[in-house]
Amino acid sequence: MLGAGLSYFVHAQISRQFGLETYGVYSMIFTLLLFGALFGKFGLGVYVVRKIPEYEEKPPVLLGFLRKIFEISFISSVVLSILVIIFAPFINDLFFSGTDSTIFIQGLGCVFLFYNLSDLMADVFLGFGEKTKYSILKNFLVQSCNQSDYHAV
């Protein structure tokens, strides 16, 4: 609920401040970046949900597993963010030839870092059977990022 309200407010402010055309460009860039973030997770969320019950009886192994998964996710998110920031002018020319949206692309490129880690944390909650915490975090991400939920709760 909070995510939906926050999303509505942010989108209304962006369209009011910058106009409908710029809002459309923003929405397109955000959608492209979220598709990129989807590939940047390498399926780690599904893997975590499957493996946590196996390691739950062995806390040191589980801790090492989660640490490694978060390291991989963090590194891939940083790499994707840097690539988007570096290639923002090329992405702008490829998709938005009539406007200069480079700064939007670079700004939203930083979303990779936080989105992937938050999404992975939601999957960790699901792996532990914490469906309420999973739903709260996942629904906040879904509502604020306008992305559909692909896990069955």
Side-chain angles (χ1 to χ4, degrees):
M1 211 49 150
L2 176 65
L6 181 64
S7 175
Y8 179 78
F9 177 75
V10 168
H11 288 253
Q13 286 301 106
I14 290 172
S15 65
R16 192 174 297 135
Q17 292 288 50
F18 298 109
L20 292 178
E21 183 179 335
T22 305
Y23 175 71
V25 170
Y26 161 80
S27 295
M28 178 71 170
I29 292 169
F30 202 70
T31 302
L32 289 171
L33 292 178
L34 284 177
F35 277 123
L38 203 68
F39 291 108
K41 292 188 312 186
F42 302 117
L44 290 175
V46 176
Y47 186 66
V48 164
V49 171
R50 196 179 86 222
K51 286 294 187 181
I52 284 179
E54 290 179 27
Y55 295 144
E56 205 164 10
E57 300 298 319
K58 307 173 215 162
V61 175
L62 178 62
L63 184 61
F65 169 73
L66 290 176
R67 183 176 294 134
K68 188 57 74 179
I69 291 295
F70 275 99
E71 285 174 6
I72 292 168
S73 181
F74 180 76
I75 291 169
S76 70
S77 298
V78 168
V79 169
L80 282 172
S81 293
I82 290 170
L83 288 174
V84 167
I85 290 168
I86 290 171
F87 290 107
F90 174 73
I91 295 169
N92 181 64
D93 292 341
L94 186 64
F95 292 104
F96 311 102
S97 58
T99 61
D100 184 18
S101 304
T102 306
I103 194 73
F104 275 139
I105 297 169
Q106 290 172 333
L108 289 176
C110 298
V111 169
F112 279 129
L113 182 61
F114 302 108
Y115 176 77
N116 281 350
L117 293 175
S118 298
D119 195 46
L120 186 59
M121 190 65 213
D123 292 328
V124 167
F125 284 137
L126 186 61
F128 280 115
E130 298 282 343
K131 292 181 180 180
T132 304
K133 292 177 183 174
Y134 167 81
S135 295
I136 291 170
L137 186 55
K138 197 70 171 185
N139 288 330
F140 177 77
L141 289 171
V142 168
Q143 292 298 326
S144 60
C145 295
N146 292 328
Q147 177 187 356
S148 62
D149 195 2
Y150 58 90
H151 293 291
V153 179

